[in-house]
Amino acid sequence: MLSKIRLGIVAELLTSEWVAFSELQRALDASQGNLGAHLAKLVDAGYIEETKTFVNRRPLTQYRLTSQGRAAFVAHVAQLQSLLKETS
Amino acid sequence: MEEQLNAAQARDHIEMVARILEESQQRLCAGGEFFVVWGLFGALVTLLGHFVAKGALPATSLWAALVALAGAIVFSIWRGRALRMASERRSLLQREFFNVLWITIGMAFVANLAVFNIFRGIASAAIWNFADAIVLLYIGLHGNRRAQVAGVVVVVSLVVANFTSGDVPAYVLAAGVLAGYCGFGIAELVSPD
């Protein structure tokens, strides 16, 4: 979760039941390839889940945060905050 | 992992998270068409029940309520699926809202279908106004001013109906649902924000 875009993905998913790939791309202003690569890393880490369906014959890929991802996000933000405290 | 980040980067990341979370605190708004359909259903049931009780309509007219109920359910399922497929994000708040919506409407059904010896006559109609007011005020709690106003309209209809007699309570309750629930739905459809 060290990468800014991966942290952004998890933050986007934090208050949502699920978010589509296109919506994440719009929200994070990321390129398709870059976003896809970061999403794959988060899926591999077990932080998010991917669901692929078809809507009106078009593929729809949705992502949701896992409980493991939520816990990792909380721990990561706490570490960021402690880092800021130490340096201030 | 964090030792690889410096303080400026950490601050940047924290600010980004804060911004994303702040933007996600969206105003709760559900499809207006659901409110129109269920508002019409609520008003129909109230008026139908009243006219049957009054003898102005035969008891068999109550079948119209069941047909309307089936229509409203089928529409809600069909439209709900279509909206879900068309949307690109579903917030946890929306999920919570739909839980509240279905529990409230479900309890109104239970009161109408299984507790009719307690909620008789106009009380069974008033149950729908209670359910509608809870749903609207819940939406209102999440920053939707129209829903706040609409919820108050439905609550006022309940209070006014309580202090009137004869045919008036049924008309007031039906008007409350039409103005509050349907009116809110129409307002959301005409101008979503």
Side-chain angles (χ1 to χ4, degrees):
Chain A
M1 217 178 283
L2 190 62
S3 136
K4 189 178 178 182
I5 189 164
R6 286 203 289 277
L7 184 63
I9 291 168
V10 174
E12 286 288 346
L13 295 175
L14 202 65
T15 56
S16 294
E17 189 180 0
W18 52 261
V19 182
F21 181 93
S22 51
E23 171 65 7
L24 282 173
Q25 199 181 349
R26 187 201 61 74
L28 297 166
D29 197 21
S31 72
Q32 201 165 340
N34 190 25
L35 181 62
H38 285 293
L39 283 165
K41 283 185 182 173
L42 288 169
V43 170
D44 289 344
Y47 290 168
I48 64 172
E49 284 173 357
E50 183 183 67
T51 313
K52 287 178 185 280
T53 51
F54 280 88
V55 176
N56 299 327
R57 295 178 187 171
R58 283 183 178 178
L60 174 69
T61 310
Q62 297 172 330
Y63 296 90
R64 70 172 67 220
L65 193 63
T66 63
S67 52
Q68 194 184 337
R70 192 173 291 271
F73 171 82
V74 171
H76 182 74
V77 170
Q79 284 175 338
L80 290 178
Q81 285 171 330
S82 67
L83 174 66
L84 284 178
K85 270 186 192 170
E86 283 167 18
T87 53
S88 62
Chain B
M1 284 207 306
E2 270 49 74
E3 53 271 21
Q4 295 172 38
L5 285 178
N6 61 37
Q9 287 171 318
R11 185 172 292 107
D12 183 37
H13 285 198
I14 291 272
E15 282 171 1
M16 178 196 68
V17 169
R19 192 176 63 249
I20 289 171
L21 294 181
E22 194 183 321
E23 284 169 4
S24 74
Q25 301 302 315
Q26 57 196 338
R27 171 179 174 273
L28 180 58
C29 169
E33 55 270 53
F34 295 106
F35 293 87
V36 174
V37 167
W38 285 99
L40 287 173
F41 169 74
L44 174 76
V45 168
T46 298
L47 293 174
L48 212 54
H50 173 67
F51 287 124
V52 168
K54 204 179 155 187
L57 285 173
T60 50
S61 309
L62 290 174
W63 282 105
L66 285 178
V67 172
L69 172 63
I73 291 172
V74 168
F75 173 82
S76 299
I77 293 171
W78 167 75
R79 190 68 187 134
R81 276 189 184 172
L83 283 176
R84 186 181 160 85
M85 285 176 170
S87 66
E88 299 206 309
R89 181 194 290 260
R90 179 160 145 139
S91 70
L92 293 173
L93 184 62
Q94 277 172 307
R95 188 180 69 177
E96 191 188 317
F97 163 69
F98 281 110
N99 289 341
V100 170
L101 175 73
W102 292 120
I103 288 170
T104 310
I105 300 291
M107 285 308 295
F109 274 126
V110 171
N112 268 199
L113 298 175
V115 199
F116 49 81
N117 281 326
I118 292 173
F119 299 111
R120 293 166 194 240
I122 202 70
S124 67
I127 285 289
W128 287 102
N129 288 52
F130 266 106
D132 293 350
I134 290 168
V135 170
L136 288 168
L137 292 174
Y138 180 84
I139 299 171
L141 272 177
H142 290 91
N144 190 321
R145 286 209 176 267
R146 285 178 193 153
Q148 290 171 8
V149 173
V152 169
V153 166
V154 179
V155 171
V156 167
S157 75
L158 277 161
V159 177
V160 172
N162 183 60
F163 289 104
T164 52
S165 57
D167 291 338
V168 181
Y171 299 145
V172 169
L173 291 176
V177 171
L178 284 175
Y181 218 61
C182 269
F184 171 70
I186 291 167
E188 289 289 305
L189 285 174
V190 171
S191 171
D193 290 308

